[in-house]
Amino acid sequence: MDAAAASFWRRNGLSLVLACMFITALCGQFVVGHRVSEAEHAREGRPPESLVEYASSGHFISATFENWESEFLQMGMYVLLTVWLRQRGSAESRPLDPAQEEERIDAGPTPRPVLAGGAWKALYANSLSLAFLALFLASFVLHLYGSWQDELAVRAAAGQPPIEVWQHLAGAEFWFESLQNWQSEFLAVLAIVVLSIFLRQDKSPESKPLRAPHRQTGT
């Protein structure tokens, strides 16, 4: 590996590995999801779907965006809640005493919205949570659409009349799909907030230093 490639990997290794893990898992979900869908079609007497047809099916769209929706909700809420709320001893919390907070700003160009000031600066100041909100809403709508399409296909195979999307939104099945993921995401955040009080992972920015007392709040 030459110096340029090594430098690129060092600068972007975390996002590259995570992107590869995401793509691998998504491809795996697509393949096994198609098999699950084929089995359901066979049980219900529906014709099989090709991989291309499955890619635009309600089954795949619903399963995919059902999970993305919960992830973006989790991260967006985490970003917002850590602005105002504290947890004594957690590496994931801001210090309890505002005097202990130090804002680190490295040398380099200031982002343009900050220089522009006014509404641009205010928007930029909340751009991370707004981005997660937009991603959550988009995923929620796509999950709803896919889940509705999947239910329509099942109802058609059973000889039942179709329903409107708002009826599906009001049904228990859609919210069961959403809430089972939401609760797991909030549990995961709760776990890292609480466990980082007492446990350590050497060299991780999500952990306090090994010698830090349990009561030390923030990294």
Side-chain angles (χ1 to χ4, degrees):
M1 183 182 293
D2 58 31
S7 178
F8 178 81
W9 169 257
R10 184 173 178 81
R11 293 195 308 268
N12 303 285
L14 182 58
S15 57
L16 289 172
V17 168
L18 287 171
C20 288
M21 293 172 68
F22 163 71
I23 293 171
T24 301
L26 181 62
C27 290
Q29 175 206 328
F30 179 74
V31 172
V32 298
H34 180 246
R35 293 178 182 175
V36 170
S37 180
E38 282 186 316
E40 291 178 354
H41 280 220
R43 286 196 304 270
E44 297 165 0
R46 290 188 280 165
E49 289 178 314
S50 68
L51 285 171
V52 173
E53 290 172 326
Y54 178 67
S56 60
S57 70
H59 188 277
F60 177 67
I61 293 173
S62 175
T64 300
F65 289 101
E66 172 186 338
N67 288 288
W68 292 19
E69 162 198 310
S70 61
E71 296 293 340
F72 291 134
L73 175 64
Q74 174 217 66
M75 294 307 299
M77 292 303 299
Y78 178 68
V79 167
L80 284 175
L81 290 176
T82 52
V83 173
W84 300 291
L85 303 179
R86 308 286 189 272
Q87 174 56 57
R88 183 177 185 269
S90 176
E92 298 297 313
S93 171
R94 292 168 60 187
L96 299 181
D97 183 1
Q100 295 179 339
E101 295 192 83
E102 295 183 7
E103 189 176 62
R104 172 188 166 188
I105 301 178
D106 291 346
T110 300
R112 293 179 64 181
V114 178
L115 297 176
W120 287 109
K121 182 179 179 181
L123 184 64
Y124 187 69
N126 298 281
S127 55
L128 182 59
S129 57
L130 290 173
F132 277 120
L133 174 62
L135 290 168
F136 165 71
L137 292 175
S139 299
F140 184 89
V141 170
L142 287 167
H143 169 213
L144 174 60
Y145 171 77
S147 181
W148 174 51
Q149 289 296 308
D150 192 44
E151 182 173 357
L152 290 180
V154 171
R155 292 176 71 88
Q160 298 175 341
I163 61 172
E164 298 295 333
V165 66
W166 64 266
Q167 293 175 297
H168 182 70
L169 176 62
E173 179 67 25
F174 174 75
W175 289 104
F176 173 71
E177 294 170 357
S178 290
L179 292 171
Q180 67 177 320
N181 284 293
W182 293 9
Q183 55 87 14
S184 66
E185 298 300 338
F186 293 140
L187 176 62
V189 173
L190 174 63
I192 192 172
V193 167
V194 175
L195 292 178
S196 67
I197 298 174
F198 309 104
L199 306 180
R200 309 287 188 271
Q201 178 56 56
D202 195 22
K203 302 298 189 292
S204 173
E206 302 303 315
S207 170
K208 294 182 291 189
L210 298 181
R211 293 174 59 86
H214 292 329
R215 68 176 180 274
Q216 179 176 317
T217 305
T219 56

